[in-house]
């Protein structure tokens, strides 16, 4: 018997003996559940649709609503349309991060 054959024989025996223990079976089951839960959680987190907040200031900017919604659908995104009271309010919202884009008439 060569050295590699001896190593394989001993390793095989150890694996077979360890697999018979209850603690190994329980730890494998816990690990399998953890992997499945992690995969499901990752899929749910990654599946959310990105949303853009768009501020429309002025009467003429309201005409862009259908085009903005169509572009968002084509890009696989959602768009939330906001109506800031003035250009200054839109600029504050942009600085605060409440708006991603502001369209000013």
């Amino acid at each position: 018997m060569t050295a590699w054959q001896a190593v394989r024989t001993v390793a095989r025996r150890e694996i077979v003996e360890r697999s018979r223990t209850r603690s190994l079976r329980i730890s494998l089951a816990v690990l399998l559940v953890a992997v499945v839960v992690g995969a499901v959680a990752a899929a749910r987190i990654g599946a959310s649709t990105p949303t853009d907040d768009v501020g429309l200031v002025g009467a003429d900017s309201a005409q862009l609503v259908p085009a903005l919604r169509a572009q968002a659908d084509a890009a696989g995104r959602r768009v939330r349309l906001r109506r800031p009271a003035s250009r200054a309010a839109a600029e504050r919202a942009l600085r605060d991060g409440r708006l991603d884009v502001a369209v000013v008439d």
Side-chain angles (χ1 to χ4, degrees), residues 11-66:
R12 181 180 176 283
R13 180 190 167 281
E14 287 297 318
I15 290 171
V16 168
E17 288 299 317
R18 301 276 176 154
S19 67
R20 292 182 183 167
T21 63
R22 186 175 179 189
S23 62
L24 179 70
R25 290 180 184 168
I26 291 172
S27 63
L28 284 175
V30 168
L31 183 62
L32 179 64
V33 168
V35 167
V36 169
V37 167
V40 168
R44 295 207 54 167
I45 290 171
S48 65
T49 304
T51 303
D52 298 313
D53 292 313
V54 177
L56 301 174
V57 180
D60 290 338
S61 62
Q63 297 172 0
L64 296 175
V65 171

Side-chain angles (χ1 to χ4, degrees), residues 81-100:
L81 300 174
R82 308 281 188 219
R83 303 250 183 221
S86 66
R87 179 182 179 146
E91 289 175 356
R92 278 193 306 276
L94 284 169
R95 278 193 298 273
D96 295 345
R98 289 179 284 142
L99 286 180
D100 296 317

